[in-house]
Amino acid sequence: MTVREALNSSLDEEMSADPKVCLMGEEVGEYQGAYKISKGLLEKYGPDRVLDTPITEAGFTGIAVGAAYHGLKPVVEFMTINFSLQAIDHIINSAAKTYYMSAGQISVPIVFRGPNGAAAGVGAQHSQVWQHRFSVFVIHIYPVHLLFLLISLCYSLLRSCSFILVACYMPLFLF
């Protein structure tokens, strides 16, 4: 099983098990994800749960955080973790801190996911490593490099009541 297939399988299983799980991001629906992580999910779950967004990371991240406040379990897919910097206020000040700032009264079951690090043929804005910078603010960060851990990790992420960021080493998506 490839990393791509493992991520797709885990999303499919969680979406099947829980109708509150939804996926949103650029090209996750009709194009099936920049790295084909969401292949087949639009057809299976429909456009209400697999949401193509415009290229507005701050916009769709803010919508996802609000959805998590109200009981949904969004998975936000960034084309690369680098682009999450466009939405840093929502990620840090809204998603990561809310559970603690509300004394546990507001949970934020949300997953931010995307490739991370250098890869052949991508520019500087696509090849930075960001998980260590997020670690100051967030509760769980999973840089995923080992396939056998990936499947069980992804299954458990959406059952958590807290904010999670998953950064996968970009070249892993090519296999």
Side-chain angles (χ1 to χ4, degrees):
M1 178 178 279
T2 66
V3 171
R4 178 181 303 158
E5 291 165 341
L7 286 167
N8 178 273
S9 174
S10 63
L11 277 171
D12 186 20
E13 184 170 321
E14 289 302 317
M15 291 179 82
S16 179
D18 189 344
K20 292 182 179 183
V21 176
C22 60
L23 173 65
M24 64 172 49
E26 300 154 356
E27 300 181 349
V28 297
E30 289 187 34
Y31 189 70
Q32 302 186 50
Y35 297 95
K36 305 300 181 210
I37 303 302
S38 54
K39 186 176 182 180
L41 298 179
L42 176 63
E43 292 78 21
K44 188 170 183 178
Y45 299 104
D48 290 340
R49 294 186 59 204
V50 180
L51 303 131
D52 273 323
T53 65
I55 302 174
T56 56
E57 284 82 358
F60 66 76
T61 302
I63 290 169
V65 171
Y69 284 177
H70 291 282
L72 293 179
K73 297 177 179 179
V75 176
V76 176
E77 181 174 311
F78 294 110
M79 283 193 182
T80 78
I81 288 296
N82 302 285
F83 298 147
S84 68
L85 296 180
Q86 299 293 323
I88 196 92
D89 183 50
H90 295 301
I91 294 169
I92 301 299
N93 291 317
S94 299
K97 295 179 182 178
T98 297
Y99 184 77
Y100 297 100
M101 290 172 37
S102 69
Q105 294 180 33
I106 302 172
S107 65
V108 188
I110 191 166
V111 174
F112 296 104
R113 198 206 59 73
N116 185 46
V122 298
Q125 70 273 30
H126 295 79
S127 53
Q128 301 168 84
V129 176
W130 283 103
Q131 70 263 23
H132 62 286
R133 293 186 176 107
F134 282 114
S135 65
V136 174
F137 301 100
V138 300
I139 302 130
H140 305 292
I141 296 180
Y142 298 99
V144 180
H145 300 295
L146 300 172
L147 181 58
F148 69 91
L149 293 175
L150 184 62
I151 297 169
S152 61
L153 170 65
C154 289
Y155 288 154
S156 65
L157 290 179
L158 293 169
R159 296 179 188 136
S160 171
C161 68
S162 61
F163 165 91
I164 295 166
L165 179 111
V166 179
C168 295
Y169 183 55
M170 194 175 299
L172 290 177
F173 290 102
L174 305 176
F175 303 104

